[in-house]
Amino acid sequence: MIKNKFLWCVTVLVALLQAAVLCWHYFNPKIVFIGVLDAPYLLDVPPWFSLIIMPIFSLCCLLLMRKRLQSTTVNRGKATTYALIGFVFSFNYGATLAGSYYWAMELYTVMLIIGIAVIACIVKSYRAECVFGFALSLSFVIGALQALVLALVTASVCWLLYKCRKLPLNFARDNSFT
């Protein structure tokens, strides 16, 4: 079970990580955030906005995780372990995706995005811990707001793919001639 002290410690840690990234970008002005949304007609978001949005997002995700883990009646230890594994794997997947995007490996980036769709058909990758890990790792490279938008869109697609994964099998079974 996730305690209140843990919630606030992780939220402060996320804020400190975002502050460290902003300091690093301030002292290394030649290296800038890679802007997925750098179009001139879009809203210009200041870099310090990540100090506000990412801790709030992390707190919301942790509260959703706590609610889901408290409602689990089978084995809370096992569910907590699976939540931690989901966070670690999605954080690493997002970091790999961000790195491939940063170093302009287009084919590898496309394969990783397709891989998200394949993983979504097998695993519940739309859960809060997976979205939190994915958004947190992407925020270091492409900025917090862009990472949140990408993570929430990805989570919506993953939810849709996971819910519709058995639809072709049910359609074939219902329309069989036997």
Side-chain angles (χ1 to χ4, degrees), residues 105-116:
M105 295 187 278
E106 292 90 8
L107 184 61
Y108 192 62
T109 305
V110 169
M111 294 302 289
L112 285 172
I113 291 172
I114 292 170
I116 291 173

Side-chain angles (χ1 to χ4, degrees), residues 68-91:
R68 184 175 57 82
L69 292 175
Q70 284 177 346
S71 67
T72 303
T73 57
V74 180
N75 189 351
R76 289 187 183 170
K78 192 174 182 181
T80 305
T81 303
Y82 286 153
L84 183 62
I85 289 170
F87 171 78
V88 170
F89 278 134
S90 63
F91 185 86

Side-chain angles (χ1 to χ4, degrees), residues 1 3 8 19 23 30 46 48 54 61 76 78 82 93 116 123-124 128 135 144 170 178:
M1 178 160 36
K3 306 225 183 264
W8 293 111
C23 287
K30 293 179 182 176
W48 54 265
M54 280 308 288
C61 286
R76 289 187 183 170
K78 192 174 182 181
Y82 286 153
Y93 200 89
I116 291 173
V123 181
K124 294 180 180 180
N170 289 335
T178 58

Side-chain angles (χ1 to χ4, degrees), residues 35-38 42-43 45 49 53-54 57 61 97 116 131-132 134-136 138-139 142-158:
V36 177
L37 304 175
D38 279 344
L42 291 176
L43 179 65
V45 179
F49 190 65
I53 195 75
M54 280 308 288
F57 180 71
C61 286
L97 181 65
I116 291 173
V131 175
F132 173 50
F134 189 69
L136 184 63
L138 286 177
S139 70
I142 64 173
L145 184 64
Q146 298 169 28
L148 289 178
V149 168
L150 184 63
L152 292 175
V153 167
T154 304
S156 300
V157 170
C158 288

